Amino acid sequence: MTRAEKVPMRGPDGKLQDGQQLAEGTIVAIRGGVVDVAFAAPVPRVHALVRAGSVAMEVAALLENGVVRCIALGSTRGLGLGMRASSTGGGIEVPVGETVLGRMLNMFGEPLDGLPPPAATERRLIHQPPPPLSERVLRAEVLETGIKAIDLLSPIERGGKTGLFGGAGVGKTVLLSELIHNTVEHHHGVSLFCGIGERSREAEELWREMGEAGVREQMVMLFGQMNEAPGVRFLIGNSALTMAEFFRDDRGQDVLLLIDNIFRFVQAGSEVSGLLGRMPSRVGYQPTLATELASLQERISSTRRGSITSIQAVYVPADDFTDPAAAHIFSHLSASVVLSRKRASEGLYPAVDPLASSSVMLTPAVVGQRHYDIARAVRRTLAEYEELRDIIAMLGIEELSAHDRATVARARRLERFLTQPFYTVTASVGTEGKLVPIAETLDGCEEILAQTHFDLPESAYYMIGGLSELEAVA
């Protein structure tokens, strides 16, 4: 029996777990990342872990005559027909507990940081049901981020799910990194970062930045990078949620779960579905898209014991928000922060689209009447300016009425006031980042909305914190 068959399918003492029986099988077909294995009784169930040599696989479908179809969780190089495979019938497990804090791990909970494996006393299956409705609670509480555009127009729900939507190159990862910087330092629970199908460079940078910020010891980082098998990218989210659920349910802590990028989870599911031979659905996505996404998202919730607050970057293919993946993800979120390519091209960072972004938290009962009124007034002013853009382009601003010219002046200053420098790009832009409290943001917007004549130019409002910095900038 090979070493790979011994270690992962036995308990800490090297013996088979109670009630487990080692099933031996033979590889009968290999098609890309899909491997068919014929077992005599007992036949492993769906989601069971199967190993052949050093390759781990998960059972995805049961065929006839004891044959199971598996998704390889690594390269199938080295596998051959007739090769032995074995399974105890148990599923993929990851370590949970305090020992995973401060570590960078892969889908199996194995170290990526060059340190010894976490000495976990407990391991749990990555496939778990969502908490029952009777255990769930709603907390109408806002998570302050210090980012003006988000706190004002799309406040994040503590214990909810927030999506950062945008196409390629509009600043999703930078915004997510800034949210990590601003919230992890003041977050009293545990933070967990899950990288799905992203670049290795981003993982290394995040690891280094969190160490420099001194918050790494209260974080867990899991990565299934873009060069890994689709099965790994598809399952890494389940591994992250299993660890997050331990801190929420067993420790009663609040967990901040950051996912970059949830669209890659959908993309990996599409690849897995194609490998399994399923007929694709609309726009080439898997027919089980809604079910697979819901099984992951429904595990992110608040219970009587603790909460999981999730912030997810969402890549939008070709900036098409009607894409089935984006549309299905939208339906699970309590707040949507939409990043606009048009605003990014104008140099307005963060490129948050104030008219497309929304949040269920933006109601008088949650944020207060003053915040609600100011946010509505800002949206209304920016919407009026958007309608006047064509007239200005054709006839010039001089042809507008005095009322409309005042609206345009306010809107252009609001657009620039809602920009701000970020800590995470200080080294590249040379400007110190700024964290702005909600009260200061509201005061600044209220002051701009109340004015009809401005002494300072629009540029003075660009990339500042509160309005108190205006004179110094001017």
Side-chain angles (χ1 to χ4, degrees):
M1 189 174 288
T2 66
R3 181 188 62 81
E5 289 170 338
K6 287 180 183 177
V7 180
M9 290 187 290
R10 288 162 164 74
D13 57 357
K15 297 180 181 179
L16 289 175
Q17 299 293 316
D18 291 341
Q20 287 186 325
Q21 184 179 353
L22 188 65
E24 297 284 351
T26 305
I27 295 177
V28 294
I30 303 172
R31 290 182 297 279
V34 172
V35 180
D36 289 354
V37 184
F39 281 93
V43 177
R45 301 176 181 180
V46 172
H47 296 322
L49 177 65
V50 176
R51 286 191 178 266
S54 60
V55 180
M57 302 177 284
E58 186 183 63
V59 176
L62 305 179
L63 309 182
E64 55 191 9
N65 299 323
V67 177
V68 298
R69 181 155 290 170
C70 306
I71 292 292
L73 304 176
S75 173
T76 54
R77 183 178 298 172
L79 296 185
L81 298 180
M83 191 172 178
R84 285 175 57 205
S86 55
S87 172
T88 59
I92 300 168
E93 296 178 340
V94 291
V96 295
E98 307 290 336
T99 54
V100 299
L101 291 174
R103 302 299 304 272
M104 182 192 281
L105 308 170
N106 67 6
M107 192 200 87
F108 297 97
E110 297 165 347
L112 297 174
D113 49 16
L115 300 174
T121 55
E122 186 180 354
R123 299 178 70 88
R124 290 190 180 176
L125 294 170
I126 65 170
H127 295 286
Q128 299 286 349
L133 291 176
S134 58
E135 284 292 311
R136 300 190 185 208
V137 294
L138 289 174
R139 293 186 175 93
E141 189 180 344
V142 171
L143 178 70
E144 188 170 343
T145 66
I147 299 172
K148 292 183 284 189
I150 293 178
D151 286 343
L152 174 69
L153 300 169
S154 187
I156 292 176
E157 178 189 2
R158 189 182 293 275
K161 296 184 275 282
T162 300
L164 308 179
F165 288 83
V170 294
K172 294 185 303 298
T173 300
V174 171
L175 185 55
L176 190 67
S177 300
E178 188 71 6
L179 284 165
I180 293 171
H181 179 278
N182 292 1
T183 55
V184 167
E185 284 192 57
H186 311 290
H187 181 69
H188 302 298
V190 173
S191 302
L192 201 149
F193 182 89
C194 177
I196 305 177
E198 290 299 297
R199 303 170 187 83
S200 301
R201 169 182 59 79
E202 294 172 347
E204 190 277 330
E205 286 175 357
L206 182 71
W207 173 255
R208 189 160 26 85
E209 287 167 5
M210 292 303 103
E212 291 168 359
V215 297
R216 191 194 293 162
E217 296 310 308
Q218 282 300 108
M219 283 192 77
V220 189
M221 299 187 196
L222 285 96
F223 291 97
Q225 298 302 108
M226 59 167 55
N227 64 313
E228 298 195 58
V232 172
R233 288 180 272 122
F234 184 61
L235 295 175
I236 185 72
N238 290 290
S239 299
L241 273 167
T242 300
M243 293 184 184
E245 286 166 346
F246 172 85
F247 290 108
R248 180 192 67 189
D249 299 334
D250 291 48
R251 292 284 185 269
Q253 292 178 289
D254 289 336
V255 182
L256 183 63
L257 174 64
L258 305 129
I259 301 176
D260 188 10
N261 186 302
I262 196 68
F263 173 78
R264 304 294 177 198
F265 165 78
V266 174
Q267 198 174 41
S270 179
E271 292 178 53
V272 168
S273 181
L275 288 170
L276 293 172
R278 295 177 186 146
M279 186 69 70
S281 182
R282 203 157 55 105
V283 200
Y285 287 109
Q286 63 270 40
T288 52
L289 167 61
T291 309
E292 290 169 356
L293 191 60
S295 67
L296 186 77
Q297 296 281 8
E298 285 303 302
R299 291 174 66 179
I300 304 171
S301 61
S302 296
T303 67
R304 300 179 194 280
R305 291 185 288 275
S307 68
I308 299 178
T309 304
S310 174
I311 302 173
Q312 310 169 13
V314 186
Y315 168 68
V316 181
D319 293 333
D320 178 16
F321 285 90
T322 63
D323 185 88
H328 278 95
I329 293 168
F330 258 121
S331 65
H332 290 279
L333 304 174
S334 57
S336 303
V337 179
V338 177
L339 302 180
S340 158
R341 190 171 302 281
K342 181 183 173 187
R343 294 177 69 81
S345 67
E346 294 173 359
L348 302 173
Y349 290 102
V352 175
D353 187 333
L355 303 179
S357 302
S358 62
S359 171
V360 298
M361 292 287 100
L362 194 59
T363 62
V366 178
V367 298
Q369 190 66 46
R370 177 171 176 257
H371 184 158
Y372 177 72
D373 291 340
I374 292 172
R376 285 196 64 183
V378 167
R379 276 217 177 99
R380 186 167 56 249
T381 303
L382 293 173
E384 288 174 8
Y385 172 49
E386 202 64 34
E387 292 172 0
L388 293 169
R389 275 177 183 265
D390 290 341
I391 299 173
I392 295 169
M394 289 186 292
L395 303 176
I397 196 166
E398 294 79 13
E399 297 300 317
L400 297 179
S401 66
H403 175 268
D404 286 345
R405 281 202 298 273
T407 298
V408 171
R410 282 194 291 269
R412 291 181 64 85
R413 282 162 177 79
L414 282 169
E415 281 186 333
R416 282 147 185 77
F417 178 65
L418 290 177
T419 64
Q420 73 187 81
F422 281 173
Y423 288 98
T424 48
V425 292
T426 297
S428 56
V429 300
T431 308
E432 183 67 26
K434 290 183 169 61
L435 190 149
V436 185
I438 292 180
E440 207 169 326
T441 302
L442 294 175
D443 290 342
C445 290
E446 192 173 42
E447 190 174 328
I448 293 171
L449 288 166
Q451 290 179 269
T452 54
H453 175 73
F454 297 90
D455 298 323
L456 296 174
E458 296 167 4
S459 57
Y461 293 81
Y462 182 67
M463 287 294 172
I464 62 172
L467 279 190
S468 56
E469 299 177 23
L470 267 183
E471 295 299 331
V473 173

